Amino acid sequence: MTTRQRALLVAGAAVVMVALWVGVPRAMRRLEYFRVRHIEVAGLRFLDARDVVRQLALPTIASIVDPLAPVRRNASAIPGVAAASVERRLPGTLSLLVLEELPVALVMQEDKLVLMDRRGRILPFDPTRVPTSL
């Protein structure tokens, strides 16, 4: 085999690898098998899981092959959430772990009691829904 043939073989293999690298995830996104059908939310004490899932703003055609950074960013932007992580589980489950801000005080605001975190921010938690030990 000549040097030119080897170079063409290596270039052809590289083209095939790039095509697979780009094409396989795109093809997987279209398969029903990889559609997000279930979202598990763990770590919640004060927030409602249905509200958290709604605020993730996932499209109805979301796939577990899609990048997870937007999901993590949307989860972390929910008021009362300190941090969030998300993982994939085959065939169609996203597992979301949420770390909520901890309330440290009850304060009166507009004739009702609201919870406040350690930075002085009002939390969106309902103090009558979950017993809170300050």
Side-chain angles (χ1 to χ4, degrees), residues 62-77:
S63 172
I64 63 168
V65 183
D66 293 338
L68 296 179
V71 178
R72 190 177 306 111
R73 189 173 41 251
N74 289 350
S76 296

Side-chain angles (χ1 to χ4, degrees), residues 6-86:
R6 283 187 189 145
L8 286 174
L9 185 63
V10 169
V15 167
V16 168
M17 293 301 289
V18 168
L20 287 174
W21 184 266
V22 172
V24 170
R26 284 187 180 191
M28 288 172 66
R29 283 187 188 107
R30 294 182 181 156
L31 294 174
E32 185 65 31
Y33 182 76
F34 295 106
R35 294 272 189 251
V36 174
R37 292 185 291 277
H38 184 68
I39 300 174
E40 294 177 349
V41 182
L44 294 180
R45 181 172 174 206
F46 301 105
L47 293 171
D48 183 42
R50 288 176 296 226
D51 292 337
V52 170
V53 170
R54 195 174 309 116
Q55 292 181 37
L56 290 178
L58 285 177
T60 56
I61 59 169
S63 172
I64 63 168
V65 183
D66 293 338
L68 296 179
V71 178
R72 190 177 306 111
R73 189 173 41 251
N74 289 350
S76 296
I78 297 171
V81 173
S85 66
V86 63

Side-chain angles (χ1 to χ4, degrees), residues 96-125:
L96 179 68
L97 178 62
V98 176
L99 177 64
E100 294 175 321
E101 292 284 351
L102 292 176
V104 296
L106 273 170
V107 294
M108 194 69 137
Q109 184 181 47
E110 298 175 8
D111 294 331
K112 66 178 185 175
L113 287 173
V114 293
L115 294 169
M116 183 179 284
D117 70 359
R118 62 185 169 87
R119 293 183 216 149
R121 294 181 303 185
I122 302 298
L123 296 172
F125 310 144

